[in-house]
């Protein structure tokens, strides 16, 4: 994600060899509570960007702290999951 730490928003960028499918970027607290799921469709060029405004599923701004995220993609080739990564919110 960039920027990381984030203030108001961040962009998650990743590469994939999958050309079609749908996915979600999932964000959790460090204690494992799911805070948001950001759905996306693959653009098909192998380079994907998902924007996020730092808000939970109710639209509230998340508190300062460290969060975990992972990209999950469903395609005709099956399900693909990235490793967990860290994101810091610092307002």
């Amino acid at each position: 994600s960039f920027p990381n730490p984030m203030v108001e928003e961040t962009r998650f960028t990743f590469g994939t060899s999958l050309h079609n499918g749908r996915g979600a970027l999932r964000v959790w607290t460090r204690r494992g509570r799911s805070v948001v799921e950001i759905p996306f469709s693959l653009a098909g060029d192998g380079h994907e960007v998902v924007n996020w405004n730092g808000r939970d599923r109710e639209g509230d701004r998340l508190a300062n702290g460290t969060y975990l995220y992972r990209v999950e993609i469903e395609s005709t080739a099956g399900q693909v999951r990235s490793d967990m990564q860290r994101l810091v919110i610092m307002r």
Side-chain angles (χ1 to χ4, degrees):
S1 63
F2 180 82
N4 188 2
M6 69 172 275
V7 177
E8 294 297 325
E9 58 185 39
T10 192
R11 289 183 314 276
F12 299 94
T13 61
F14 58 95
T16 179
S17 60
L18 301 172
H19 297 290
N20 58 26
R22 301 184 140 217
L25 191 129
R26 300 180 195 273
V27 181
W28 293 270
T29 65
R30 287 183 18 205
R31 292 187 176 187
R33 183 178 63 87
S34 175
V35 293
V36 71
E37 178 180 317
I38 308 159
F40 63 87
S41 295
L42 295 176
D45 63 359
H47 180 76
E48 307 297 329
V49 178
V50 178
N51 296 308
W52 182 47
N53 62 6
R55 296 182 180 268
D56 65 14
R57 60 178 55 90
E58 285 82 32
D60 297 325
R61 289 173 57 176
L62 293 180
N64 288 342
T66 302
Y67 295 84
L68 303 173
Y69 68 90
R70 177 171 65 197
V71 176
E72 298 177 356
I73 300 172
E74 289 283 340
S75 75
T76 55
Q79 186 178 48
V80 177
R81 292 183 177 170
S82 72
D83 292 334
M84 288 284 206
Q85 301 290 320
R86 283 186 232 159
L87 169 68
V88 174
I89 297 178
M90 191 179 324
R91 297 191 167 109

